């Protein structure tokens, strides 16, 4: 038996709490041989849940593996991650989904929920076996990295989502408006940098189409990484109509803006791109008022070689799991826009509800699984990309002075990370 008494912490609402862990659950009194953990000055929160993680295994293990990516998750306070389907091979069958979950169990750092692709091979032409994957336990389907452009297929996918009680997560980006050379935000920087832009309209027009398909079919739609003010407006409109839609913002789109691109450092290349100040303000306001439901990391490791290219040719994507809470503290808590209960809602409770990640995002009460994170709300440090569990080093926060909040993470009663 393993048992802990976590003493002297405060809950998200500021109330003092002592927590008693016995094996993998919270109990209502200390076990006789419980190890004492002093948590004075710390917050204790439910473990974080990420609906948008790229773990790269199978196929791109030099960028990340299930083991290294979930080690990042534990260091970032996460107890559950949803592994995006754009691996090689793509997660487009029940067998492949089961394999990802099994790799997660072997790594044993966090619970891994496989995301299934919406279309076979992410090609956008033929639906994956969504019903079979749903029967195998897949709760989220996404072609992330690419937008599912075909409206009729999107309608069918949402119909299947309604039938199977699953969710379609769309990377909203019209590939005809945002051509193959697009690599930075069109509105704020493309002209100045002499590069081809991703136009804002490529995102919100797809969202407008998809929320209407969601309304028509009753299928639940999740909008990955929204980045523009117009997208926030469309989601607000859809929610007012009662459409079953949820929206996500990434830690990097909350904190980082397109002025960072002036040196053409490919670390800052990401899809959708870093935007300008007006969009960032709309994202923060949308997260604070509930239009945007959750923070998802879009943790996207890339090996150095994939980033060591001319800007238009470099791979898009940046690391996210280890600094996600830091970004949310800096942009939302330290600015007074959200309190800690709001943070729990957008980083744990609601992502767990959307993905039906049973046992995660639960209140820290006796009888619940012992999935939790100890947080120092005031600690700060300079981010060093070398101090990372990732196999990659494309960390956009390197050298920044940021909150450094994660003291320890516990998944199913076991410490998956403790600050040393
Ligand atoms: O920047 C990105 N990187 N955006 C995506 O949608 C996919 C991701 C990746 O897989 O690298
Ligand atoms: Zn994406």
């Amino acid at each position: 038996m393993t048992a802990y008494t976590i003493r002297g912490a405060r809950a998200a609402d500021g109330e003092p709490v002592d927590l008693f862990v016995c094996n993998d659950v919270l109990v209502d009194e200390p076990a006789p041989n419980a190890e004492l953990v002093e948590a004075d000055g710390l917050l204790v929160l439910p473990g974080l849940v990420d609906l948008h993680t790229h773990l790269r295994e199978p196929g791109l293990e030099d960028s990340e593996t299930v083991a290294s990516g979930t080690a990042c998750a534990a260091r970032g306070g996460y107890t559950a991650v949803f592994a995006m389907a754009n691996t090689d091979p793509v997660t487009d069958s029940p067998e492949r989904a089961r394999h990802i979950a099994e790799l997660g169990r072997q790594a044993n750092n966090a619970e891994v929920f496989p995301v299934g692709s919406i279309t076979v091979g992410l090609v956008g032409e033929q639906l994956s076996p969504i019903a079979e994957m749903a029967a195998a336990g897949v709760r989220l389907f996404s072609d992330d990295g690419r937008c599912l452009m075909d409206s009729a297929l999107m309608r069918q996918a949402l119909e299947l989502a309604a039938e199977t009680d699953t969710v379609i997560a769309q990377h909203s980006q019209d590939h005809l408006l945002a051509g193959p050379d697009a690599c930075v935000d069109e509105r704020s920087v493309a002209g100045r940098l002499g590069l081809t832009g991703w136009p804002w309209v490529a995102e919100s027009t797809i969202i407008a189409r998809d929320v209407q398909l969601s309304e028509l079919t009753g299928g639940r739609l999740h909008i990955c990484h929204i980045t523009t003010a117009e997208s926030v407006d469309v989601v607000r409109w859809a929610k007012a109509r009662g459409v079953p839609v949820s929206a996500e913002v990434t830690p990097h789109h909350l904190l980082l803006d397109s002025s960072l691109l002036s040196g053409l450092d490919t670390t800052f290349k990401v899809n959708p791109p870093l935007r300008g100040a007006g969009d960032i303000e709309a994202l923060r306001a949308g997260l604070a008022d509930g239009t945007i439901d959750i923070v998802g990391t879009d943790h996207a490791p890339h090996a150095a070689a994939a980033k060591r290219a001319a800007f238009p040719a470099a791979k898009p994507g940046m690391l996210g799991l280890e600094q996600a809470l830091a970004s949310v503290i800096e942009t939302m808590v330290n600015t007074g826009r959200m309190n800690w209960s709001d943070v729990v809602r957008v980083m744990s409770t609601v992502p767990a509800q959307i993905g039906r990640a049973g046992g995660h995002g639960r209140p820290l009460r006796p009888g619940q699984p012992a999935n939790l994170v100890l947080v120092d709300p005031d600690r700060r440090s300079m981010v060093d990309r070398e101090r990372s569990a990732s196999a990659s080093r494309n960390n956009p926060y390197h050298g920044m002075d940021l909150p450094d909040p994660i003291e320890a993470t516990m998944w199913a009663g076991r410490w998956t990370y403790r600050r040393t």
Side-chain angles (χ1 to χ4, degrees):
M1 185 189 76
T2 54
Y4 300 96
T5 294
I6 301 172
R7 190 168 70 185
R10 282 178 300 123
D13 62 7
E15 291 297 311
V17 278
D18 291 339
L19 288 180
F20 310 115
V21 178
C22 185
N23 295 324
D24 55 355
V25 292
L26 298 172
V27 293
D28 55 14
E29 57 183 30
N33 299 317
E35 181 187 318
L36 184 63
V37 179
E38 294 288 2
D40 284 342
L42 303 181
L43 294 168
V44 62
L45 310 176
L48 307 183
V49 177
D50 189 22
L51 280 188
H52 195 146
T53 306
H54 295 277
L55 292 176
R56 305 298 190 216
E57 187 178 0
L60 276 165
E61 289 83 354
D62 58 337
S63 303
E64 200 78 292
T65 61
V66 172
S68 65
T70 55
C72 293
R75 292 168 75 118
Y78 288 86
T79 53
V81 298
F82 282 70
M84 274 298 174
N86 64 339
T87 46
D88 183 12
V90 169
T91 313
D92 57 10
S93 72
E95 296 72 31
R96 288 177 185 163
R98 284 194 204 97
H99 179 60
I100 306 285
E102 177 55 29
L103 291 173
R105 282 188 287 276
Q106 286 168 16
N108 210 19
N109 292 317
E111 188 155 5
V112 175
F113 293 91
V115 176
S117 68
I118 310 173
T119 67
V120 174
L122 303 183
V123 181
E125 290 174 357
Q126 185 192 337
L127 287 183
S128 303
I130 288 177
E132 287 81 354
M133 282 195 276
V138 176
R139 294 95 195 262
L140 199 69
F141 294 90
S142 183
D143 278 4
D144 180 66
R146 311 172 71 124
C147 180
L148 176 49
M149 289 286 292
D150 185 319
S151 313
L153 270 191
M154 189 63 182
R155 177 181 179 171
Q156 286 176 37
L158 284 162
E159 282 166 353
L160 281 167
E163 282 167 26
T164 55
D165 195 17
T166 55
V167 179
I168 302 296
Q170 172 76 295
H171 177 125
S172 310
Q173 187 175 67
D174 187 326
H175 292 311
L176 301 173
L177 285 167
D181 300 329
C183 58
V184 292
D185 176 40
E186 180 182 279
R187 180 155 56 188
S188 61
V189 286
R192 187 161 7 112
L193 297 175
L195 294 169
T196 307
W198 268 297
W200 61 265
V201 74
E203 182 171 295
S204 46
T205 50
I206 292 291
I207 297 174
R209 179 197 76 173
D210 288 346
V211 294
Q212 292 177 78
L213 290 171
S214 169
E215 180 171 339
L216 174 74
T217 58
R220 284 196 288 152
L221 172 70
H222 178 70
I223 301 165
C224 297
H225 45 50
I226 103 171
T227 63
T228 71
E230 292 78 7
S231 297
V232 177
D233 285 343
V234 173
V235 173
R236 197 175 279 121
W237 171 80
K239 288 191 164 183
R241 290 174 71 84
V243 174
V245 58
S246 53
E248 161 191 296
V249 63
T250 71
H252 46 275
H253 291 112
L254 285 172
L255 181 67
L256 308 177
D257 70 63
S258 56
S259 68
L260 289 164
L261 291 156
S262 55
L264 292 184
D265 180 345
T266 58
T267 309
F268 299 113
K269 181 176 176 184
V270 64
N271 176 12
L274 299 182
R275 305 284 189 184
D279 285 323
I280 292 175
E281 172 52 30
L283 295 174
R284 293 180 183 180
L287 185 61
D289 75 17
T291 304
I292 300 174
D293 301 80
I294 67 153
V295 173
T297 68
D298 199 3
H299 178 86
H302 285 297
K307 284 286 189 186
R308 207 185 304 119
F311 199 89
K315 281 263 172 37
M318 40 182 64
L319 298 182
L321 285 165
E322 289 167 305
Q323 273 80 37
L325 183 59
S327 166
V328 172
I329 294 173
E330 192 75 347
T331 58
M332 305 302 291
V333 179
N334 291 348
T335 56
R337 299 185 95 136
M338 292 198 340
N339 60 33
W340 283 97
S341 297
D342 296 325
V343 172
V344 169
R345 187 183 75 244
V346 302
M347 298 188 79
S348 179
T349 316
V350 176
Q353 285 167 354
I354 293 170
R356 287 191 289 133
H360 297 273
R362 306 292 304 158
L364 296 175
R365 292 210 200 97
Q368 296 289 350
N371 297 328
L372 56 87
V373 55
L374 289 171
V375 164
D376 182 341
D378 302 317
R379 186 177 178 123
R380 299 182 71 90
S381 70
M382 175 108 82
V383 177
D384 177 357
R385 67 183 158 220
E386 298 306 326
R387 291 181 48 213
S388 170
S390 177
S392 292
R393 290 291 175 266
N394 53 321
N395 187 323
Y397 310 103
H398 178 67
M400 291 177 69
D401 172 64
L402 284 180
D404 183 8
I406 310 298
E407 291 297 319
T409 306
M410 175 180 279
W411 171 43
R414 202 168 45 80
W415 297 111
T416 50
Y417 171 69
R418 287 184 99 167
R419 191 194 290 280
T420 48

